[in-house]
Amino acid sequence: EQVGTGVVTVSQRQNASATYESGDWLQVGTELTVRAETAGTNEVKALLINGALVEGEGKSVQKDVVMPEGTMGVRAVFGPVDEYRLIVACGAEGKVTVVDEGGSELQDMSKLTKGQKIRVTAKAILAGYGLRKLAVNGAEKSDGVEVTVEGNVVVMAEFARVYKLGVEVAPVELASHVEVKDASKGAVLANGADVFLGEGLMVAVGDVQGFRKDMKVEGADEDADGSWVVKGDVKVQVVYTRMLGEVTVRVKDKSGEPVLGATVTIPGYNVREEGDGRYVVALPDGQYTVTVKKSGYADGEGSVTVAEGKAQEVSLVLVPVASVAESVRLERMELAPNPASVVLRLLHVEAAVGYVVYSQQGVEVMRGALTGEMTVGLDVSKLPEGVYVVRVEAAGGWRALRFVVRR
């Protein structure tokens, strides 16, 4: 479309002599140059390609383009240098209304005067459509914008079919980690927001420690740049699933033989016995205390840390305790303080002849003889923090008690 006196040419970019007329068929992807030229007292007021304003004014304005799929529309407006014009580009889906300060409506190609104030509004007239973009002289504006005339005023309104955006996150308390934005403007879109046909959306799904994330998008096609192009009502579904790591607790005695029938406890979780001294449980990321009980053995305790759902294994060694008959002479034996940090006192051990200290893994860490004192102090200052078992031996038997080193 050409308005006013001037010349519009559409030619091949690499061969200016190969020109095209309105209505010609072109191959998609053909590289073109669109040029508007005039002479004398006229100038190019505006050159629009598919409704988009090409920057520039004067005697000649041009732009290199690539033939898109579908139709390419070119509109060139020419007029006297000393005149300002209102140029409106609007599809059939909507209407642009421009009024002056007195409320009079101005039509496309109306003359304007410098300093004149006008107000621009746009509204969709077809059901299911909405205003996607309103631009004045190439700059995007909000509906109802007031403009002071400084030159030609080119108004472009783009309408598109409107759809709804739905965002679902499970569990809902992790919804703050999911964000949907308008790809062109970067504006965050809330659940229930309007989206337009052909609009690009960016979906960001944040990582949450200990969870696997899965995303499904309906009503949009993923583009090469990672954005999602709207083709209908859009539904973004994100599911965070807690990752569980399989923890195997191996329970053995001092000789390395598996201990069967033990009670392995991790508070809040059910631990199952799988035979051969193996006790198994699935746990989310975190640190846990493991306790083991078995008749005839001192209680065992350890810890395990699960990270990123990876399988873990922990081994605990149980130390046998004396029978009642064997421990008659040591039944009054006590440990103090417990937990200990520097010195652990063995109380009422006058009948004992020696002691051995084992780590939770059954490794001997201390040994010594006892000579009939009622109270003996053991230096535990060099032992790492943790759980230990001291076995005190007497002529008629022995007794084992658990203690903790803590600082």
Side-chain angles (χ1 to χ4, degrees):
E1 179 187 359
Q2 178 177 329
V3 179
T5 302
V7 177
V8 180
T9 57
V10 179
S11 61
Q12 288 186 13
R13 190 180 305 176
Q14 304 300 328
N15 182 10
S17 62
T19 60
Y20 302 97
E21 302 295 331
S22 180
D24 284 351
W25 292 86
L26 282 79
Q27 184 175 352
V28 173
T30 302
E31 296 183 341
L32 304 170
T33 297
V34 180
R35 180 183 294 107
E37 297 177 292
T38 187
T41 59
N42 275 2
E43 67 175 355
V44 180
K45 298 293 185 182
L47 174 63
L48 298 100
I49 301 175
N50 276 352
L53 178 65
V54 177
E55 292 186 7
E57 293 182 356
K59 298 296 183 181
S60 178
V61 177
Q62 72 176 48
K63 185 173 180 64
D64 292 335
V65 297
V66 175
M67 183 65 191
E69 293 185 3
T71 301
M72 184 176 76
V74 178
R75 187 186 189 202
V77 179
F78 305 94
V81 173
D82 56 355
E83 284 185 359
Y84 298 150
R85 296 280 182 171
L86 171 65
I87 302 163
V88 178
C90 175
E93 306 90 353
K95 178 183 179 182
V96 172
T97 302
V98 181
V99 296
D100 61 18
E101 292 178 280
S104 298
E105 186 173 344
L106 304 178
Q107 303 299 318
D108 182 33
M109 293 306 297
S110 293
K111 290 184 179 182
L112 303 173
T113 57
K114 187 173 183 178
Q116 182 180 7
K117 295 185 182 300
I118 59 176
R119 186 170 183 270
V120 182
T121 58
K123 183 179 180 181
I125 57 177
L126 290 184
Y129 282 77
L131 176 63
R132 180 175 179 181
K133 180 180 180 181
L134 177 64
V136 177
N137 289 341
E140 190 165 349
K141 302 292 182 180
S142 58
D143 190 25
V145 63
E146 291 189 354
V147 179
T148 300
V149 176
E150 298 292 341
N152 298 308
V153 176
V154 180
V155 178
M156 187 275 290
E158 179 183 347
F159 299 91
R161 186 172 290 279
V162 179
Y163 296 101
K164 286 293 182 182
L165 169 66
V167 181
E168 297 179 1
V169 181
V172 68
E173 56 266 25
L174 297 180
S176 61
H177 295 275
V178 178
E179 190 174 69
V180 181
K181 291 184 177 181
D182 179 327
S184 61
K185 304 175 185 176
V188 177
L189 303 175
N191 182 35
D194 289 340
V195 292
F196 296 95
L197 180 66
E199 181 180 7
L201 305 177
M202 297 300 297
V203 182
V205 181
D207 294 328
V208 178
Q209 185 175 4
F211 287 82
R212 183 184 73 250
K213 59 186 181 182
D214 297 287
M215 182 182 74
K216 180 181 180 182
V217 179
E218 299 176 354
D221 292 327
E222 189 171 12
D223 208 353
D225 63 358
S227 65
W228 294 85
V229 181
V230 176
K231 64 178 184 180
D233 288 328
V234 178
K235 187 176 183 180
V236 178
Q237 293 177 297
V238 178
V239 176
Y240 286 97
T241 304
R242 188 179 289 276
M243 293 188 293
L244 300 177
E246 186 175 82
V247 173
T248 300
V249 181
R250 291 188 177 272
V251 183
K252 304 176 182 178
D253 61 18
K254 282 180 56 179
S255 64
E257 291 299 314
V259 175
L260 307 180
T263 300
V264 178
T265 303
I266 297 177
Y269 298 92
N270 293 321
V271 183
R272 67 183 185 275
E273 182 176 3
E274 293 201 343
D276 197 28
R278 293 185 302 113
Y279 301 81
V280 179
V281 61
L283 300 174
D285 286 7
Q287 187 170 12
Y288 302 89
T289 298
V290 184
T291 58
V292 181
K293 294 180 181 292
K294 170 71 174 177
S295 178
Y297 294 86
D299 293 350
E301 184 176 295
S303 65
V304 63
T305 300
V306 178
E308 299 180 354
K310 294 180 180 178
Q312 301 291 331
E313 183 172 305
V314 59
S315 294
L316 297 178
V317 176
L318 299 186
V319 178
V321 296
S323 66
V324 174
E326 292 174 325
S327 62
V328 168
R329 301 184 65 190
L330 298 173
E331 62 184 6
R332 295 176 59 239
M333 185 182 83
E334 298 180 25
L335 304 179
N338 191 5
S341 60
V342 179
V343 175
L344 175 72
R345 295 194 305 276
L346 308 183
L347 307 178
H348 309 297
V349 290
E350 62 274 13
V353 296
Y355 69 88
V356 182
V357 177
Y358 298 96
S359 70
Q360 184 65 54
Q361 288 71 39
V363 178
E364 181 180 315
V365 296
M366 294 176 65
R367 173 186 287 271
L370 299 176
T371 57
E373 295 91 344
M374 290 187 63
T375 301
V376 176
L378 303 184
D379 181 5
V380 296
S381 62
K382 295 182 180 180
L383 294 181
E385 290 188 342
V387 180
Y388 297 85
V389 173
V390 57
R391 172 175 164 144
V392 178
E393 298 177 347
W398 54 266
R399 189 177 180 194
L401 292 178
R402 188 179 69 166
F403 70 95
V404 176
V405 174
R406 185 180 299 159
R407 297 181 182 88

